[in-house]
Structures are given as C-alpha cells and as structure tokens.
C-alpha cells in the first residue's frame, strides 16, 4: 500500500525510514517543512507540503505527532482529501476519547482508523522493533499488517477503538514507576560511592533489570539526558492517565500523582525537552 507519514519527530522519522527500507513509503509531511525536505532527500522520495497532499497520495497514513489536539488537527486537515477505504493509523500517545473522536470523523468519510500507540523508545523506532497496541477493527489491522511489520516487531490487537490508547496508559503508568525506582536507586548507589557502571551492569541482568536501566542507566550517571523520550511528553501522557484513572470511580494513583509533580518541577526549571531520565536530577539532590 502507498504509505504516507505525518510527523517526523524523534519517532516518526525512524518509522518513515523503516517504511522506505521495505518499499512502502510514498510521501512524508512535517509541520516544520525543513525536516520533511531533509528526510525526503535522504530517502529519495517526494515530500508533501500539506497534510492534505499526503491524503490525496496515500492508501495508508501513519500519524506520529505530539498531543491530542495535534492529532485532531491533522485528522481535520486530511479528512476531506482522503480516498475511500484509506487506513489512518495514529501512533501518537493520546487519550482513548481522542481515538474515538478521530475514528468517528474518519468513518463519516468512508475511511478507517486504528489507534496504534507504540512503546520501545527511539531505539525501538530506529530498529523497527516497537511494541504496538492496537484498537479498532481487527480486519483493518490485517490489511495494514505488512506496513506495520516494517516499524514494529510486536503488534498486539487489543480490542475496539480506544483500547490501544488505554493499553498505552497502562504502559505509561508502569514507565513512571520504573523511572521513579531506577533514578532513586541509582542516586542512592552513587551517594554510597559505588562503582556505578558495574552496578548498572549487574542489576540490569538480575531480577530488577529492565529496559530503562539498560538503556538510560549509564547516561543518567554522567548527566546526559538527550531525548529519548521527552519529559514533557511523558507529563502529557500521565495527565491523560490521571483523567482516565479519575473516570474509574474518582480514583487517583500515587505513582502518577507524584511523577506529575516531579516532572512539573523539572519543566519549570527548563528541562521539559530532556529525556525522562532527567528525573535523576531531582533524586541526586536528595543526597546533597
Ligand atoms: P517529537 O520528537 O517532539 O516530535 C513531535 C512531532 O509532532 C514533530 O514532527 C512535530 O512537528 C509534530 N507536531 C506536533 N504538533 C503538531 C501539530 N499541531 N501539527 C503538525 N505536526 C505537529 O515527539 P516524538 O518523541 O516523536 O513523539 C511523538 C508521539 O509519540 C508522542 O505522542 C509521544 O508521546 C509518542 N511516543 C514517543 C516515544 C519516544 O520515546 N520518543 C515513545 C513512544 C511514543 P515539528 O517538527 O514541526 O515540531
């Protein structure tokens, strides 16, 4: 299927490269045009000057933008230019309600929508090994499968529209807890004067081992917080989680509440564009 990508940030650009490698990529669009021009040049394809131009050329469109309002803005920009039966896949992390709104708008113009948020970081996007959680019609997923296999190694159909995003909320709550645990434990180890590279090596392969300590443990120890996954984006995700949690009997979860406060503090200090491992900045201060 002729495929277009809208949104060429840290994740979307890698997805586009992997689609190109497998011969699916037709065109790319990015709000900041220079990024689309550069990537199109690199991949030897044409770039589109508007989301509408992607719509007219594509049988499948992958969206990877930041926030709920950005996704809905892109849906609005393409909806009147799509060919019937086009499949639109949103890989951004947004709320289940936004996924449902997008699906309704696109159904009305005889096209199909799947919410397909991903996990695995920029490394997963680069290597085409993302985990993808899918909401929508499973028969549409089957039609899109060859293209999605180019960007994700583990594609799991969850259920109706919105359930991909609900699953991503589960993932993001877990990621917050892991970030809290890893940054706090490594700050403690550093304060004790341990050889921290060795500590990361050994704990990475034991029962406490996880993706985050393996990929971000050593960089945070030398105060490198290149994104990665921008802290402000995880704050956005946890705000979505907070409202979804509230819908379940007016509840709140401690990890979500605490991490939102910590991230807000870091954002206020100007660290919102750093990787989420920048939480280590706050944890180190506990031992000063
Ligand atoms: P990013 O590097 O900040 O890129 C965001 C992209 O969205 C850029 O291409 C940006 O265009 C575009 N965009 C934002 N608002 C827009 C709008 N109103 N109209 C059109 N384009 C708009 O973010 P990212 O890390 O790629 O993340 C993208 C999505 O994937 C987010 O929802 C994030 O939560 C999710 N995600 C990220 C990771 C990760 O590890 N980074 C992992 C899983 C999921 P400009 O270039 O013009 O700014």
């Amino acid at each position: 299927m002729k495929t277009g990508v809208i949104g060429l940030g840290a994740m979307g650009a890698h997805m586009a490269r992997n689609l190109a490698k497998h011969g699916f990529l037709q065109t790319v669009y990015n709000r900041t045009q220079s990024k689309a021009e550069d990537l199109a040049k690199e991949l030897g394809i044409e770039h589109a000057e508007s989301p509408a131009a992607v719509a007219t050329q594509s049988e499948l469109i992958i969206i990877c933008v930041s926030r709920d309002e950005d996704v809905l803005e892109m849906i609005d920009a393409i909806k009147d230019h799509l060919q019937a039966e086009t499949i639109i896949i949103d890989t951004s992390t947004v709320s289940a309600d936004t996924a449902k709104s997008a699906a309704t708008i696109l159904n009305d113009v005889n096209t199909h929508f799947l919410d397909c948020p991903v996990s695995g970081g920029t490394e997963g996007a680069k290597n085409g090994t993302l985990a993808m959680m899918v909401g929508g019609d499973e028969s549409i997923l089957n039609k899109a499968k060859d293209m999605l296999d180019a960007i994700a190694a583990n594609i799991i159909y969850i259920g109706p529209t919105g359930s991909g995003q609900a699953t991503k909320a589960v993932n993001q709550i877990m990621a917050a807890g892991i970030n809290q645990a890893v940054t706090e434990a490594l700050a403690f180890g550093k304060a004790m004067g341990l050889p921290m590279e060795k500590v990361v090596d050994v704990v990475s392969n034991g029962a406490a081992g996880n993706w985050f300590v393996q990929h971000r443990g050593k960089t945070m120890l030398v105060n490198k917080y290149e994104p990665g996954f921008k802290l402000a984006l995880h704050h956005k995700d946890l705000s979505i989680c907070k409202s979804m949690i509230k819908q379940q009997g007016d509840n709140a979860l401690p990890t979500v509440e605490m991490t939102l406060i910590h991230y807000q503090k870091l954002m206020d200090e100007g660290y919102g564009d750093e990787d989420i491992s920048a939480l280590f900045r706050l944890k180190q201060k506990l031992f000063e």
Side-chain angles (χ1 to χ4, degrees), residues 6-12 29-32 35 64-67 69-70 73-74 91-94 118-122 168 172 216 228-230 233-234 236-237:
I6 293 179
L8 305 172
M11 298 294 283
Y29 166 80
N30 196 66
R31 178 179 58 181
T32 305
K35 285 192 204 168
C64 189
V65 294
S66 306
R67 296 163 194 277
E69 56 271 28
D70 307 323
E73 194 183 318
M74 291 301 99
T91 61
S92 325
T93 303
V94 294
V118 293
S119 177
T122 45
K168 177 71 185 190
Q172 295 312 77
R216 302 285 182 260
F229 181 34
K230 285 180 194 158
L233 286 180
H234 199 196
K236 172 261 304 179
D237 297 350

Side-chain angles (χ1 to χ4, degrees), residues 14 27 34 37 42 49 66 78 86 88 92 97 108 110 126 141-142 151 189-190 234-235 249 254 263 266 281:
H14 287 310
T27 188
S34 58
E37 283 165 21
E42 174 192 324
E49 301 215 335
S66 306
I78 60 176
T86 301
I88 295 93
S92 325
D97 285 347
D108 286 349
N110 213 7
K126 185 174 181 188
L141 170 62
N142 292 336
I151 60 177
K190 192 176 169 188
H234 199 196
H235 183 277
Y263 282 176
L266 287 160
R281 289 182 183 280

Side-chain angles (χ1 to χ4, degrees), residues 15 54 59 64 88 115 139 142 159 191 220 231 264 270:
M15 291 182 195
V54 177
E59 296 160 295
C64 189
I88 295 93
D115 51 305
S139 67
N142 292 336
M220 73 176 80
L231 195 142
Q264 188 62 57

